Amino acid sequence: MAGKGAAPGTAVLLVTANVGSLFDDPENLQKNWLREFYQVVHTHKPHFMALHCQEFGGKNYEASMSHVDKFVKELLSSDAMKEYNRARVYLDENFKSQEHFTALGSFYFLHESLKNIYQFDFKAKKYKKVTGKEIYSDTLESTPMLEKEKFPQDYFPECKWSRKGFVRTRWCVADCAFDLVNIHLFHDASNLVAWETSPSVYSGIRHKALGYVLDRIIDQRFENVSYFVFGDFNFRLDSKSVVETLCTKATMQTVRAADTNEVVKLIFRESDNDRKVMLQLEKKLFDYFNQEVFRDNNGTALLEFDKELSVFKDRLYELDISFPPSYPYSEDAGQGRRYMNTRCPAWCDRVLMSPSARELILKSESEEKVVTYDHIGPNVCMGDHKPVFLAFRIAPGAAFPGVFVPLTSDRFHGREAMPATPEGPSRDLPVAPGASGSPIH
């Protein structure tokens, strides 16, 4: 049972996973991925669990539909999850809509011992008690229990078929209300372009998109509550600084296309030692001769080049990173630790939080050392991204006094995975810490 023999309070597990690889090679990757995921669930025994997936369904969603259904069924019915008797699943399956499709999948599981859990209806502006297991898919835009947006095309005009966006849900657990935001930001389209400036042009695009999301979730339409934003942020190390550091004693050779004179490759060679090649850089090639630098001491020597979050230092917090870069790992099922040579390894997958959410975690941490921020499957192939998780406890009485939000007993409609019982009675719930939305320092 969740929390048995552990510290008091409500155990929470937040997981983010870019799972595109799982649907491109389901036979070889899904079994191992699920085993490692279930192991984390078993270790931390959460009462409330959220799994935010990006690239759900892989590169070709329509062709992967059968694999999607199998994956969802496994998560909802496996022995490892049998004590989670309530669930909500939100799958963006509207793959034919270029205007709306995000390929995001959000899973929420509630342990049988957890009482009186409520989810917010954004249309009715009321909380509703969560019962049964339900799946929502197709056009999530019409589902009142979430907010979903795809970023405008002009945010990233060079990518004609971008699937980047966010999905937001709101919950009340242990008398604490908080938003959970599943997010997928824009990638680096070219290593060469990323190398040209510091910070890179792509960093600026991500900054704009993330700022839009944060402004959206603290606007005046709803009461402001604590929030956790976790997903594939595609944050990259500052490429120019990394290359300069890795190739300090190297000379650079520029290779240009014969017809356009465009730079197509950079080759960095040692000044001596028979001019050994240290790094080759192309649009989709980052081939450094020694991958151990990204794994030694979990790559912490490179954290100084992880700068993109600093722009939001007063709006978003993160616990200390003590795991290696989460991307881009080899998709070879037999290679659990090797990085692909397509991109410079980086901490793309993160769990971030508002100042008030941080206060909530730190208040619980002061009671007992129960907070873990780590990755999943360090020695197993989990696809090109390693999932990242945050496990913590909401300590008894941790909720700050706040305003009260009326509930309703009205049912909401969804595609049911199994029969759901009628919603519970109405009552009032306090909003979580930071109800005003102002940062807490």
Side-chain angles (χ1 to χ4, degrees), residues 36-268:
E36 296 295 314
F37 173 74
Y38 293 149
Q39 182 58 51
V40 169
V41 174
H42 176 75
T43 299
H44 294 279
K45 299 179 172 58
H47 297 97
F48 178 88
M49 174 171 37
L51 168 62
H52 283 177
C53 297
Q54 305 81 43
E55 294 294 339
F56 197 78
K59 296 181 180 67
N60 189 338
Y61 200 105
E62 189 168 13
S64 302
M65 285 296 289
S66 62
H67 302 307
V68 166
D69 291 343
K70 183 179 179 181
F71 185 83
V72 173
K73 183 178 179 181
E74 162 67 26
L75 276 174
L76 289 175
S77 62
S78 70
D79 284 345
M81 305 291 286
K82 64 184 178 182
E83 294 184 359
Y84 296 87
N85 63 346
R86 289 152 294 168
R88 291 293 181 270
V89 179
Y90 302 100
L91 307 176
D92 187 357
E93 295 181 338
N94 192 18
F95 54 84
K96 293 182 179 179
S97 172
Q98 184 171 350
E99 182 182 357
H100 297 294
F101 185 50
T102 63
L104 294 174
S106 300
F107 297 75
Y108 304 97
F109 301 94
L110 286 65
H111 192 267
E112 60 191 11
S113 65
L114 199 56
K115 309 300 182 187
N116 298 324
I117 303 305
Y118 297 86
Q119 187 181 3
F120 192 67
D121 182 320
F122 288 96
K123 185 176 182 180
K125 297 186 178 182
K126 296 177 183 292
Y127 285 89
K128 297 179 178 180
K129 191 171 184 179
V130 180
T131 61
K133 297 184 179 182
E134 297 180 353
I135 303 172
Y136 296 77
S137 61
D138 301 322
T139 52
L140 295 183
E141 288 79 15
S142 61
T143 304
M145 308 310 291
L146 57 79
E147 286 196 319
K148 173 201 157 195
E149 288 190 52
K150 180 181 174 180
F151 296 119
Q153 183 66 44
D154 60 9
Y155 273 38
F156 199 36
E158 64 183 279
C159 187
K160 295 180 180 179
W161 183 236
S162 168
R163 304 192 289 189
K164 307 302 192 289
F166 70 96
V167 171
R168 167 199 192 187
T169 58
R170 177 172 291 188
W171 303 83
C172 188
V173 178
D175 286 340
C176 288
F178 48 78
D179 284 345
L180 301 180
V181 181
N182 187 354
I183 192 169
H184 195 183
L185 297 182
F186 300 98
H187 60 281
D188 282 12
S190 168
N191 293 324
L192 293 170
V193 173
W195 173 81
E196 289 174 354
T197 59
S198 175
S200 78
V201 61
Y202 304 118
S203 173
I205 294 170
R206 288 187 285 271
H207 175 197
K208 180 180 179 181
L210 181 53
Y212 174 84
V213 174
L214 296 181
D215 289 343
R216 182 70 171 163
I217 62 179
I218 64 168
D219 61 21
Q220 299 305 309
R221 294 169 302 139
F222 309 102
E223 293 287 349
N224 286 343
V225 300
S226 299
Y227 52 85
F228 295 88
V229 185
F230 49 115
D232 179 4
F233 293 84
N234 262 314
F235 289 162
R236 306 301 170 98
L237 304 185
D238 186 77
S239 185
K240 195 167 189 65
S241 300
V242 168
V243 171
E244 288 175 354
T245 301
L246 294 179
C247 303
T248 303
K249 299 180 180 180
T251 57
M252 185 180 77
Q253 174 188 351
T254 302
V255 180
R256 297 179 180 272
D259 52 347
T260 64
N261 204 37
E262 178 186 5
V263 176
V264 293
K265 188 171 188 174
L266 300 175
I267 304 172
F268 296 83

Side-chain angles (χ1 to χ4, degrees), residues 6-8 12 44 361 364-372 391-394:
V12 177
H44 294 279
I361 288 181
S364 302
E365 174 76 344
S366 65
E367 305 290 331
E368 197 83 37
K369 297 298 181 183
V370 292
V371 179
T372 305
F392 63 96
R393 284 179 173 270
I394 301 174

Side-chain angles (χ1 to χ4, degrees), residues 236-238 241-243 245-246 286 288 290-307 325 339 344-347:
R236 306 301 170 98
L237 304 185
D238 186 77
S241 300
V242 168
V243 171
T245 301
L246 294 179
F286 188 98
Y288 187 63
N290 178 22
Q291 281 202 1
E292 287 304 313
V293 70
F294 303 109
R295 291 190 288 261
D296 286 347
N297 196 27
N298 291 321
T300 50
L302 298 170
L303 278 171
E304 65 175 293
F305 306 114
D306 180 69
K307 302 176 179 179
Y339 289 104
C344 177
W347 288 272

